[in-house]
Amino acid sequence: MLIVLADATFDPVQTDKIRAIARPMIEASRAEAGCAGYDYAFDMLEPGLMRVREWWQDEQALKDHFATPHMAVFLKALRDLKPKSVTIRCHELGPERPMPNA
């Protein structure tokens, strides 16, 4: 399983615009084969910081995701909003295990 973690920083006044472009992206991505989870959230302490979490069954599912029409629409709309910064990281996930002391 692959996990993608991304942060994007925007002017907080753009929050409603970001939500408007994010919702169809999230809905379409969650419907993709190989998607095990997909969500965006705004940081509670930094209002202009959007965090993204994605879980993909494998590398092919992630590659297929980047080739979808909804990804192209989202990326164009995102670029038009001119984020202050964007960082994206991909990690390979090992097997689930119990939380220590939980």
Side-chain angles (χ1 to χ4, degrees), residues 16-39:
D16 288 339
K17 290 179 183 177
I18 295 164
R19 288 181 193 277
I21 66 169
R23 184 178 186 96
M25 176 64 175
I26 294 166
E27 290 171 344
S29 298
R30 287 179 177 177
E32 289 179 50
C35 180
Y38 197 95
D39 57 67

Side-chain angles (χ1 to χ4, degrees), residues 43-62:
D43 190 278
M44 294 185 71
L45 300 179
E46 297 180 51
L49 176 59
M50 179 179 73
R51 300 192 186 272
V52 177
R53 297 183 308 172
E54 307 174 21
W55 294 264
W56 296 97
Q57 182 179 351
D58 54 32
E59 190 167 341
Q60 188 59 54
L62 182 56

